[in-house]
């Protein structure tokens, strides 16, 4: 029996800033890449291969916030946004996504970042964030539209003048 050591891992840096740019709250969290996320990356990787080139998957486009606290899961209820916070469908920041080569034998990261500016996502109990391929839609996303989901270690109280920056790193490390 062989052991496969190829790995796809994710981390999320969540930073809450006040109106003056002072850091109020910060989390670095391991996130779950969903079954849909695994399929997304494989489809992206093989979509350009000839002769059997499947169609490109719908590209991820941004993030959404929510207040749900259902446990994160690879599939099922925990693989999608549980309780969508209206108006938080925000596209990636202008220079994202990016790739970051970590160097010899260390892997490569896909880096996504979205900034929820003052007035967007104001809520005393933000608890979850997802990367989705339907950021243009001001509604919750299904598991099929969600490649990653994370729960915050504690709820975030985002005031009307606060800014929330969420940066994801999906690390690819082959065997």
């Amino acid at each position: 029996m062989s052991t496969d050591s190829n790995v796809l891992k994710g981390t999320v840096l969540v930073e809450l800033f006040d109106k003056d740019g002072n850091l109020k709250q910060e989390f670095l969290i391991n996130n779950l890449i969903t079954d849909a996320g695994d399929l997304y990356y494989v489809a992206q990787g093989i979509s350009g291969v000839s002769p059997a080139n499947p169609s490109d998957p719908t590209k991820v486009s941004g993030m959404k916030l929510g207040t749900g606290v259902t446990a994160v899961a690879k599939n099922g209820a925990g693989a999608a946004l549980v309780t969508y916070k209206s108006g938080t469908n925000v596209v990636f920041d202008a220079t994202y996504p990016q790739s970051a080569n970590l160097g010899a034998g260390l892997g490569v990261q896909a880096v996504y970042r979205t900034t929820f500016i003052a007035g967007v996502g104001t809520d005393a109990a933000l608890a979850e964030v997802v990367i989705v391929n339907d950021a243009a839609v001001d509604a919750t996303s299904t598991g099929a539209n969600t490649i990653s989901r994370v729960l915050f270690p504690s709820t975030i109280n985002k005031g009307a003048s606060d800014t929330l920056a969420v940066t994801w790193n999906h690390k690819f490390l082959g065997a």
Side-chain angles (χ1 to χ4, degrees):
M1 181 163 129
S2 74
T3 309
D4 192 350
S5 59
N6 293 335
V7 177
L8 176 58
K9 292 183 179 181
T11 60
V12 182
L13 176 62
V14 179
E15 300 167 297
L16 181 67
F17 299 95
D18 68 15
K19 65 180 172 133
D20 298 317
N22 299 310
L23 184 64
K24 292 174 60 172
Q25 196 171 5
E26 179 181 55
F27 302 122
L28 182 60
I29 314 159
N30 289 323
N31 88 103
L32 180 76
I33 297 167
T34 64
D35 283 351
D38 293 341
L39 291 168
Y40 174 78
Y41 283 120
V42 168
Q44 286 286 59
I46 65 172
S47 65
V49 176
S50 183
N53 53 343
S55 62
D56 256 341
T58 302
K59 298 201 176 11
V60 292
S61 53
M63 299 182 204
K64 296 181 181 183
L65 296 170
T67 57
V69 295
T70 299
V72 175
K74 288 286 283 178
N75 53 53
L81 199 62
V82 176
T83 308
Y84 175 62
K85 174 67 181 172
S86 183
T88 64
N89 54 312
V90 178
V91 297
F92 297 125
D93 289 357
T95 60
Y96 288 85
Q98 300 176 353
S99 63
N101 187 343
L102 302 176
L106 299 175
V108 178
Q109 289 185 147
V111 183
Y112 306 94
R113 183 179 173 97
T114 296
T115 303
F116 300 89
I117 62 173
V120 175
T122 301
D123 197 292
L126 294 175
E128 58 182 332
V129 63
V130 292
I131 294 179
V132 296
N133 66 8
D134 66 347
V137 179
D138 187 12
T140 196
S141 297
T142 68
N145 297 105
T146 305
I147 70 160
S148 283
R149 178 171 177 258
V150 70
L151 287 178
F152 304 138
S154 61
T155 58
I156 292 175
N157 180 1
K158 184 181 181 301
S161 61
D162 292 339
T163 298
L164 181 68
V166 181
T167 306
W168 301 69
N169 293 293
H170 285 173
K171 181 179 178 182
F172 298 79
L173 180 60

